[in-house]
Amino acid sequence: MATIRALSVILPFLSTITLLWPESGECNNGRRSGDGLDTDFSGLSVPIEHSFEVDDVPRFRLRGALQFRGGRESSVYLSQNQLSEKDRNTLKDVAAVDGLYRIRVPRVSLQADRQSERQHDGHLTAFVRACSLVESHLSDIITLHTDVSGYVIGISIVTIPGSCRGIEVEDEVDLEVFNTTISVVAPVTAPVPETAPYIERMEQEMEKKGKNPQEQKSFFAKYWYLILGGAVFLMATNSAQTPPGGAREQT
Amino acid sequence: MAWLAVRLAISVSLLFTASAVFEDQVGKFDWRQQFIGKVRFALFDTHSQASKKLLVATDKNVFASLNSRTGDLFWRHLDKTGPDGQVDSLLMYGQDAVVVVGNGRLLRSWETTVGGLKWETVLDTGSFQAAALVGVQDFVKYVAVLKKTAISLHDLSTGGQIWVENLPDSDTVQYQSIYSEGNGLVFVLGLVPNSHVVIVEYKIEDGEIMNKKSIQAAWMSSLESSCAVISSGILLCVDQITQSLYTLPLQSVEQKEMKQIHLQTLDLEVASGFQPVLTSTQPNPAQPPLAEFFLQLSPDHHILLQLEDGLIALLKDFNPSNLVAFATTGEKTVAAVMSPKNETACSINLFSADTGRRHLDTNIIYHLDPNGGKPNTLYVHAFLKKDDSVAYRVMVQTEDHMLTFLQQPGRVVWMREEALADVVTMEMVDLPLTGTQAELEGEFGKKADGLFSMVIKRLSSQIILLQTWLAHLWKLFYDARKPRSSVKNDEITIENLSRDEFNLQKMMVMVTASGKLFGIDSKSGTILWSHYLENIQPNSAFKLMVQRTTAHFPHPPQCTLLIKDKDTGLASLHVFNPIFGKKSHSSVPALPRPILQTLLLPIIDQDYAKVLLIIDDQYKVTAFPSTKNILQQLQDTASSIFFYLVDSSQGKLSGFRLRKDLSTELIWEAVIPTEVQKIVAVKGKRANEHVHSQGRVMGDRSVLYKYLNPNLLAVVTESTDTHPERSFVGIFLIDGVTGRIVHEAVQRKAKGPVHFVHSENWVVYVYWNSKFRRNEFSVLELFEGAELYNSTVFSSLDRPRPPQVLQQSYIFPAGISTLEATLTEKGITSRHLLVGMPSGSILSLPKLFLDPRRPEMVSEQTREENLIPYAPEMPIRTEWFINYNQTVSRIRGIHTAPSGLESTCLVVAYGLDIYQTRVFPSKQFDVLKDDYDYVLISSVLFGLFFATMISKRLAEVKLLNRAWR
């Protein structure tokens, strides 16, 4: 609860942020929780919440905070808490009934000049099966997707491995700390028809053809041996046939 | 050398993809039907007795001439779609048809015999009110066009403007109609609603205002709907509230108010709440109209009245009567009246207009189609017989846009189903088996009950087969004896409908915007059944689903049409048999709430009907059919049933999961802010699509596996900013189960309309490049990589690694109206894209050309893989046009369906026209060619056989001889 309050106090003061474009995942283990929250005020901080209930009615609690850092190497960090004893047990119970583990983030814009605009109400939600989270020992990949103008439009969570094989996770330590890879993905620019390289290539080929001396040779220069061979052959056959014919003429 | 290789590669690839129709194949397996749309104006050519022309202008902005003997098109002209090409008025005089187009934008004159344009005049701006032919001394010389603020007179033979005059006080007076009777004057009638009528007289020669007067008429709210001019320039109006008729001579100077005649004095009464309608006739624009007119008192009550010396006389009371129409031939004017005869038929009779007397032997019986709409307009073509008596033909238009042309004594000459000009959606359904085939199928379907009974059953079905075969032989023999002419062509009727060997003949179920459903035989284009759904809102959305195919004999196939009112969101279901068109008796769930989404699940009940889930606006789910079995199955599989909703107004995409109690829970949510971009289309993959190969073999013999996610959705957005430099098109690939955004791409400097196809592991989309002003194709392909994550089953929940996405774009040097991909039974045949073009042609473009792995530079490996080197421009070859010269006007959609042959895909293109054909994307590898030389191969075979026999014999003799020696 304390963290939520801290966040809500901090949030209004966060203002200077530049946007981060693609990639930049940052592994962060939960033991550093709190550090980022207290030390970095330059970036935008967004709470990430999770919910896992046996009755499958979502009740979101704070999982951690996303720190967006601007600058040349824009990046995102996730600082998050350890799972408490109670949470661990609940998670295992939810996994046993094949419940869902949900996360959500509020709808925000990552672009500095847009943050002053009205904040959207509502959240972006995603889920993963609780059993796969347990079986992967809390190793998950969270991806935030933004649109062209830097609004966060979607969040996704996957675990590695993603399957549920029914493996018992005995060791409590495995379920204490999240091993999260987080990244922000912006849309890629789709390619346009590439005319310039194509024309260049065509020109190169034409040039090559032009430079190649063999291509420029005349018909006779190219096929002189064939013509010569043909001529010799014809002559040979003619000379072979002449004697009888000539003999007949003489008689 | 490299260049040679490039050329070689291209030519080799073309060898495999070239496909065209040979001349002798034209019309062999394809057909086209041309339509015109709902008729708004129709005029018969009365210029000469023998004329067969019928001129029509329709709501599809089509102006056409029909052959009134056959119903075929003589010619057809298509104008722009939308209000720009709308036909406002159609007038005909002699050989000329004068048309006002585009809310008074253009005035055109057409030569009606060949459909050539004689002249065209651009009119001054202003909204169109009325147009009329103007005659001088018995000759029609001019056409007058009334706009909101001006009137202009044009020469009929050249189109030249004679004069144009502004209308007085046009800001307060609504001028609505024109009248002239060949006396050198044109009257313009205007109205200030609920105040007074304004009549302005113009001189024809120079447009000088001769007279202008206003007459009190406080009761009048519209001139057009309640007034008509009859008998030498007398304005006749009818008012429902005071139940009276009003008359006013247009030219009289002294009369300052309209003369009131109570309907009561004629013993008449207007039905309450009904706006009475006056129908008059002016056979010749250069002559005054007739003194007789029709007054419609209620929807099925007309009265023929006559005005004489200011008094109204009743000529004939038609009660009941649905429709009336005047027609003139020579000097005689007749009135055709349609009155209901019984439940299923109407009778049409001819009455003489001046006396109201019935003409003898003019009765036509019009049979009402129980599956059609009610008649709503009557077009009469009267002509004089040799004995100078009047005969007539009549064209009846019904609510479902059908035209029926009837001749005395009730013979239907032709019919046109103009609802088919606006097909919204369609499906192709397999035809049922014949009775005998079904019998055999039934035998296998039944459970085994003892050896003996099985043997009996088998024997009996064999006997039945033998019987039918003998009957067939007998019929052949019988037909062969008859003279050739009397042997009827094998007409396809609903009775002898059966599946052919290769399942090439199917039933096309078409849903039209008017709410009429059609069942069309795909082989011949014959309409086998039609069903008109009444009370369909004009802006309804339709979704057609096949719940049970023909494969489950003896259960009949079942289709479900979901009709959703776009305004209220309320929906209803129409369940029918797609083969016979009959409405099913199964109980349809009531849908009291607006619905958001429907879902056809592969779960089937005991009757083999797939279950349809309907999600309403409270996220409650209704199942149809909702038997106990189904509900049980739904409960068991609820946790694996997911669905998505798209709210494009808020840019919201959300995913839900079904709960055991048929409620739902929200599991994911993504929001694409509408300030930046707007969702324009969402498409999943087709459920009946098969992918044969899991991967692609690369040049180095390794395999690149395809990312075949059946739950993948392609979401296309367009930017709200329409500036050509900043506009963009967004492509999102989203997993429909987990809401995971698999890929997100932005096509910059692009705008819609975007057409796209989502199939297998690829998405192809077309957009308009606003920078270079051209159409461009872009293809996205998704691959899992060199190894599969889980090769046995695909689960969206367990696929952690995102796919590799490859993309390439190409220039397409033509316009695009619609896009679809071919579909075959097993997905072995290579795919083609079918591109519908604005010109009406359909291009079959090999998918090979849309491959993001097309290399920039040719290498040994790419050649091994048969990849065509990248070229930025997409080639268009004329032999790729599958519809040669059979263009499909205003093509809106293409439907593809697999046939029983793997090589063959059935294609139906619809727009204003309907075109059906077959395509063979990898040529016909599984059938022999049409021109296969059977004689040669069999003679060679027999020759070889006999040669072997003879040589064997000879060898034997030789051996024997040698042994003796």
Side-chain angles (χ1 to χ4, degrees):
Chain A
M1 271 323 263
T3 29
I4 297 175
R5 204 164 299 137
L7 261 174
S8 58
V9 172
I10 292 160
L11 268 174
F13 297 104
L14 298 170
S15 53
T16 53
I17 306 243
T18 38
L19 166 98
L20 30 120
W21 279 138
E23 75 258 16
S24 82
E26 178 69 21
C27 277
N28 189 353
N29 57 26
R31 294 206 174 87
R32 272 171 59 192
S33 72
D35 304 2
L37 200 69
D38 295 330
T39 51
D40 193 352
F41 287 90
S42 66
L44 170 71
S45 176
V46 172
I48 179 163
E49 294 167 300
H50 61 176
S51 153
F52 41 98
E53 302 293 337
V54 181
D55 59 358
D56 228 8
V57 176
R59 279 182 285 275
F60 285 98
R61 299 180 295 274
L62 192 76
R63 169 170 163 178
L66 290 166
Q67 298 280 319
F68 297 101
R69 274 181 212 165
R72 190 166 289 170
E73 284 191 20
S74 53
S75 55
V76 59
Y77 297 91
L78 174 65
S79 49
Q80 50 195 354
N81 309 325
Q82 285 188 8
L83 278 184
S84 68
E85 174 82 42
K86 195 180 141 221
D87 284 347
R88 286 199 295 267
N89 288 332
T90 326
L91 189 61
K92 279 173 100 175
D93 291 346
V94 174
V97 297
D98 196 13
L100 300 182
Y101 172 84
R102 302 154 193 263
I103 55 166
R104 72 171 190 191
V105 289
R107 292 175 60 191
V108 287
S109 170
L110 302 185
Q111 212 163 25
D113 55 334
R114 299 244 184 192
Q115 266 151 43
S116 49
E117 289 177 20
R118 77 180 175 84
Q119 287 288 317
H120 294 279
D121 42 348
H123 289 82
L124 305 167
T125 332
F127 73 96
V128 71
R129 285 157 85 191
C131 55
S132 65
L133 189 69
V134 171
E135 281 178 34
S136 65
H137 306 288
L138 301 191
S139 39
D140 54 354
I141 301 171
I142 295 174
T143 314
L144 290 163
H145 297 267
T146 65
D147 71 353
V148 273
S149 54
Y151 283 114
V152 179
I153 60 164
I155 183 170
S156 73
I157 177 169
V158 287
T159 60
I160 292 201
S163 56
C164 281
R165 293 207 175 78
I167 306 160
E168 264 313 288
V169 179
E170 289 298 330
D171 201 353
E172 285 287 313
V173 185
D174 284 344
L175 292 181
E176 256 179 24
V177 182
F178 282 102
N179 175 20
T180 306
T181 311
I182 187 150
S183 56
V184 175
V185 174
V188 295
T189 302
V192 290
E194 289 165 40
T195 29
Y198 179 76
I199 292 166
E200 213 169 273
R201 205 178 76 212
M202 284 288 134
E203 273 170 2
Q204 272 176 7
E205 260 159 27
M206 291 294 280
E207 258 173 49
K208 218 190 271 170
K209 214 192 256 176
K211 271 178 199 162
N212 199 339
Q214 220 175 9
E215 298 283 320
Q216 279 185 323
K217 278 181 187 168
S218 68
F219 180 77
F220 285 104
K222 252 196 258 179
Y223 302 109
W224 63 272
Y225 47 91
L226 285 177
I227 295 162
L228 194 74
V232 167
F233 178 75
L234 274 175
M235 272 158 67
T237 47
N238 271 348
S239 60
Q241 277 173 2
T242 345
R248 213 175 295 143
E249 258 175 335
Q250 277 168 4
T251 50
Chain B
M1 196 56 206
W3 178 233
L4 198 72
V6 169
R7 274 197 289 190
L8 200 77
I10 291 178
S11 52
V12 164
S13 65
L14 290 184
L15 261 180
F16 288 114
T17 55
S19 62
V21 177
F22 291 98
E23 197 182 350
D24 60 334
Q25 286 181 306
V26 162
K28 206 163 185 183
F29 46 75
D30 63 326
W31 52 262
R32 177 180 68 163
Q33 288 176 3
Q34 291 186 309
F35 297 96
I36 47 174
K38 181 192 174 190
V39 170
R40 291 179 59 221
F41 307 101
L43 294 174
F44 287 95
D45 183 10
T46 50
H47 180 64
S48 71
Q49 282 294 354
S51 175
K52 294 185 281 190
K53 285 191 292 276
L54 164 62
L55 291 179
V56 286
T58 71
D59 67 337
K60 293 263 174 262
N61 303 351
V62 173
F63 178 50
S65 169
L66 298 177
N67 184 337
S68 66
R69 303 283 197 279
T70 62
D72 297 334
L73 286 170
F74 277 130
W75 47 261
R76 183 178 75 169
H77 292 293
L78 274 65
D79 214 319
K80 288 178 193 167
T81 51
D84 262 5
Q86 188 189 311
V87 179
D88 300 316
S89 179
L90 170 65
L91 306 164
M92 192 153 115
Y93 185 74
Q95 290 283 21
D96 300 340
V98 179
V99 176
V100 183
V101 178
N103 199 9
R105 193 170 51 90
L106 293 166
L107 183 68
R108 285 181 184 145
S109 173
W110 298 91
E111 208 284 325
T112 52
T113 329
V114 292
L117 183 66
K118 283 182 83 175
W119 50 259
E120 179 184 89
T121 312
V122 181
L123 298 175
D124 295 340
T125 53
S127 75
F128 174 81
Q129 295 297 328
L133 294 169
V134 177
V136 182
Q137 287 152 3
D138 285 358
F139 286 104
V140 177
K141 279 188 179 167
Y142 309 108
V143 55
V145 179
L146 180 70
K147 297 277 191 102
K148 201 162 184 173
T149 56
I151 176 171
S152 58
L153 198 74
H154 300 262
D155 191 292
L156 194 61
S157 54
T158 63
Q161 193 180 66
I162 310 289
W163 49 261
V164 58
E165 290 294 326
N166 283 328
L167 295 163
D169 309 323
S170 60
D171 46 344
T172 53
V173 183
Q174 298 173 9
Y175 291 97
Q176 290 177 343
S177 63
I178 312 178
Y179 167 73
S180 83
E181 53 175 39
N183 59 357
L185 291 173
V186 176
F187 295 88
V188 174
L189 311 178
L191 170 81
V192 177
N194 301 319
S195 169
H196 59 273
V197 176
V198 178
I199 298 160
V200 189
E201 279 175 44
Y202 285 93
K203 208 165 134 192
I204 286 181
E205 283 83 47
D206 51 5
E208 188 191 335
I209 295 180
M210 304 300 286
N211 194 2
K212 177 179 179 284
K213 61 183 172 187
S214 58
I215 309 291
Q216 284 298 319
W219 48 270
M220 204 191 287
S221 57
S222 169
L223 197 72
E224 261 179 321
S225 61
S226 56
C227 294
V229 181
I230 56 163
S231 170
S232 60
I234 293 167
L235 181 69
L236 180 77
C237 295
V238 62
D239 179 36
Q240 182 214 339
I241 296 154
T242 54
Q243 296 265 342
S244 31
L245 291 166
Y246 295 86
T247 58
L248 175 78
L250 291 173
Q251 272 174 299
S252 86
V253 188
E254 63 273 14
Q255 197 174 335
K256 285 281 178 258
E257 58 183 35
M258 298 184 97
K259 191 179 151 199
Q260 189 176 14
I261 303 165
H262 281 282
L263 283 172
Q264 256 176 351
T265 59
L266 295 161
D267 280 341
L268 300 175
E269 198 185 353
V270 178
S272 64
F274 182 78
Q275 169 70 38
V277 181
L278 288 167
T279 314
S280 66
T281 180
Q282 186 176 12
N284 186 347
Q287 301 270 327
L290 297 186
E292 292 79 25
F293 60 94
F294 272 113
L295 174 64
Q296 188 180 8
L297 295 172
S298 77
D300 54 357
H301 189 190
H302 295 79
I303 288 167
L304 184 65
L305 298 167
Q306 188 182 41
L307 181 78
E308 208 162 359
D309 306 329
L311 290 171
I312 287 178
L314 193 146
L315 288 181
K316 183 124 181 132
D317 188 348
F318 300 105
N319 193 12
S321 57
N322 311 18
L323 299 167
V324 294
F326 282 113
T328 305
T329 175
E331 292 297 305
K332 292 183 182 173
T333 298
V334 288
V337 178
M338 180 192 257
S339 45
K341 196 169 176 230
N342 53 37
E343 288 288 296
T344 59
C346 291
S347 71
I348 306 165
N349 282 296
L350 216 55
F351 296 86
S352 111
D354 45 0
T355 59
R357 217 173 286 138
R358 195 171 89 89
H359 285 243
L360 291 174
D361 301 326
T362 54
N363 188 23
I364 290 182
I365 305 290
Y366 172 74
H367 291 279
L368 291 167
D369 183 1
N371 292 319
K374 291 187 195 73
N376 61 6
T377 324
L378 207 60
Y379 301 98
V380 182
H381 180 213
F383 55 93
L384 288 173
K385 284 203 281 199
K386 284 199 183 101
D387 59 352
D388 224 27
S389 64
V390 182
Y392 71 119
R393 302 187 187 95
V394 67
M395 184 169 82
V396 183
Q397 185 178 16
T398 49
E399 281 169 341
D400 53 350
H401 308 177
M402 188 169 88
L403 300 176
T404 314
F405 195 78
L406 298 144
Q407 206 176 30
Q408 280 170 289
R411 191 171 74 86
V412 175
V413 184
W414 51 263
M415 285 197 274
R416 286 184 73 92
E417 289 281 6
E418 288 307 331
L420 283 171
D422 204 349
V423 174
V424 182
T425 178
M426 65 168 293
E427 278 292 340
M428 286 183 110
V429 184
D430 292 354
L431 290 176
L433 301 163
T434 55
T436 47
Q437 284 172 318
E439 183 74 25
L440 277 182
E441 288 282 311
E443 188 192 334
F444 294 117
K446 273 170 213 155
K447 289 221 171 66
D449 43 6
L451 191 69
F452 185 68
S453 61
M454 284 287 278
V455 169
I456 294 288
K457 214 172 275 170
R458 162 53 60 94
L459 283 178
S460 67
S461 55
Q462 299 282 27
I463 288 165
I464 291 170
L465 273 181
L466 192 72
Q467 232 171 7
T468 47
W469 187 64
L470 285 175
H472 178 70
L473 281 186
W474 173 247
K475 192 171 174 282
L476 276 181
F477 177 67
Y478 194 73
D479 282 351
R481 280 177 49 197
K482 273 199 275 185
R484 186 154 289 226
S485 56
S486 69
V487 178
K488 262 199 291 179
N489 291 343
D490 276 345
E491 259 180 46
I492 293 149
T493 56
I494 218 149
E495 284 78 34
N496 63 14
L497 210 59
S498 70
R499 200 182 301 177
D500 62 328
E501 242 175 322
F502 297 128
N503 201 5
L504 289 165
Q505 189 180 4
K506 293 200 178 198
M507 179 66 85
M508 293 159 50
V509 180
M510 293 190 133
V511 182
T512 61
S514 66
K516 195 164 188 183
L517 311 181
F518 291 92
I520 300 175
D521 168 43
S522 76
K523 198 176 180 182
S524 60
T526 322
I527 296 169
L528 295 175
W529 60 264
S530 62
H531 186 90
Y532 179 58
L533 302 170
E534 278 166 64
N535 310 323
I536 297 285
Q537 297 300 315
N539 61 345
S540 296
F542 298 92
K543 191 175 178 185
L544 184 63
M545 288 154 288
V546 182
Q547 274 198 298
R548 181 166 55 220
T549 60
T550 325
H552 305 286
F553 184 82
H555 300 289
Q558 182 180 319
C559 274
T560 302
L561 178 70
L562 182 90
I563 307 142
K564 182 181 168 185
D565 190 325
K566 267 186 195 155
D567 292 337
T568 60
L570 290 173
S572 61
L573 291 174
H574 175 70
V575 185
F576 62 99
N577 179 334
I579 305 299
F580 302 108
K582 286 198 190 79
K583 196 172 179 207
S584 165
H585 298 293
S586 56
S587 61
V588 172
L591 302 168
R593 299 210 59 85
I595 64 156
L596 299 175
Q597 173 77 292
T598 56
L599 202 60
L600 196 65
L601 293 181
I603 296 173
I604 50 171
D605 68 353
Q606 303 104 314
D607 297 342
Y608 303 99
K610 284 182 188 167
V611 65
L612 176 71
L613 294 189
I614 301 156
I615 294 103
D616 66 19
D617 66 341
Q618 308 223 311
Y619 310 112
K620 286 272 188 309
V621 173
T622 314
F624 170 71
S626 55
T627 56
K628 218 171 197 178
N629 180 329
I630 283 289
L631 294 177
Q632 183 59 44
Q633 286 188 60
L634 278 178
Q635 268 190 18
D636 295 345
T637 52
S639 62
S640 59
I641 296 172
F642 299 85
F643 61 90
Y644 67 93
L645 295 177
V646 180
D647 182 354
S648 60
S649 63
Q650 292 174 31
K652 197 150 126 189
L653 296 142
S654 43
F656 292 81
R657 184 164 81 158
L658 195 67
R659 285 209 187 119
K660 287 202 190 315
D661 58 345
L662 291 192
S663 64
T664 56
E665 57 176 331
L666 180 76
I667 50 173
W668 61 265
E669 212 173 357
V671 185
I672 300 171
T674 47
E675 290 89 345
V676 186
Q677 52 197 330
K678 220 170 141 26
I679 299 173
V680 288
V682 180
K683 254 189 209 170
K685 289 176 189 172
R686 286 178 68 165
N688 57 348
E689 177 184 275
H690 293 276
V691 182
H692 184 255
S693 72
Q694 288 274 307
R696 285 183 58 166
V697 182
M698 313 246 281
D700 58 359
R701 296 278 172 254
S702 64
V703 176
L704 189 61
Y705 286 100
K706 294 173 182 172
Y707 179 76
L708 296 168
N709 183 350
N711 308 317
L712 199 66
L713 302 173
V715 180
V716 173
T717 62
E718 275 176 40
S719 61
T720 47
D721 191 346
T722 52
H723 186 274
E725 283 293 312
R726 292 187 298 270
S727 68
F728 64 87
V729 166
I731 306 290
F732 299 83
L733 299 179
I734 297 178
D735 189 301
V737 170
T738 60
R740 185 178 176 196
I741 298 175
V742 171
H743 185 68
E744 194 184 347
V746 170
Q747 195 81 49
R748 297 197 181 267
K749 294 180 183 119
K751 65 177 191 176
V754 180
H755 302 282
F756 66 112
V757 176
H758 183 198
S759 175
E760 278 186 54
N761 65 328
W762 49 265
V763 178
V764 171
Y765 61 91
V766 190
Y767 57 91
W768 174 257
N769 186 326
S770 49
K771 188 184 174 194
F772 292 108
R773 294 160 185 276
R774 63 190 182 199
N775 278 309
E776 288 179 5
F777 258 120
S778 197
V779 56
L780 277 160
E781 278 195 23
L782 289 88
F783 292 100
E784 290 226 350
E787 52 190 277
L788 274 177
Y789 178 79
N790 179 354
S791 56
T792 49
V793 66
F794 189 97
S795 167
S796 284
L797 297 170
D798 179 17
R799 200 60 41 155
R801 270 184 283 279
Q804 300 169 10
V805 183
L806 301 175
Q807 190 170 11
Q808 218 168 48
S809 300
Y810 315 89
I811 302 162
F812 189 70
I816 287 180
S817 301
T818 183
L819 200 64
E820 187 54 81
T822 60
L823 192 69
T824 51
E825 183 84 4
K826 297 269 177 272
I828 300 167
T829 309
S830 59
R831 308 291 295 270
H832 276 202
L833 284 170
L834 299 172
V835 185
M837 297 184 173
S839 62
S841 18
I842 304 163
L843 184 78
S844 179
L845 187 67
K847 172 71 178 51
L848 215 61
F849 282 91
L850 289 157
D851 184 347
R853 301 188 58 252
R854 280 175 72 174
E856 284 276 328
M857 293 308 258
V858 189
S859 70
E860 201 63 48
Q861 291 203 347
T862 59
R863 212 172 304 148
E864 184 82 25
E865 238 185 290
N866 220 348
L867 290 173
I868 308 161
Y870 180 79
E873 187 167 313
M874 192 64 67
I876 295 180
R877 283 171 222 287
T878 41
E879 68 265 24
W880 287 351
F881 290 109
I882 58 169
N883 57 343
Y884 46 108
N885 65 355
Q886 306 283 300
T887 50
V888 185
S889 305
R890 297 201 192 131
I891 185 163
R892 262 198 328 273
I894 297 174
H895 182 85
T896 52
S899 72
L901 281 175
E902 171 56 32
S903 66
T904 310
C905 169
L906 304 175
V907 177
V908 180
Y910 52 87
L912 189 62
D913 304 338
I914 296 175
Y915 179 72
Q916 191 275 145
T917 190
R918 297 173 198 162
V919 290
F920 318 100
S922 302
K923 293 191 142 185
Q924 288 176 282
F925 59 80
D926 50 3
V927 275
L928 292 176
K929 263 188 243 156
D930 286 342
D931 52 356
Y932 187 78
D933 203 339
Y934 293 96
V935 178
L936 184 75
I937 194 96
S938 47
S939 59
V940 166
L941 211 70
F942 279 114
L944 281 173
F945 178 72
F946 286 118
T948 331
M949 294 286 280
I950 291 160
S951 56
K952 198 183 169 192
R953 176 78 190 136
L954 289 174
E956 270 172 10
V957 170
K958 201 177 178 185
L959 269 178
L960 193 69
N961 285 344
R962 196 181 288 167
W964 275 106
R965 211 176 281 161

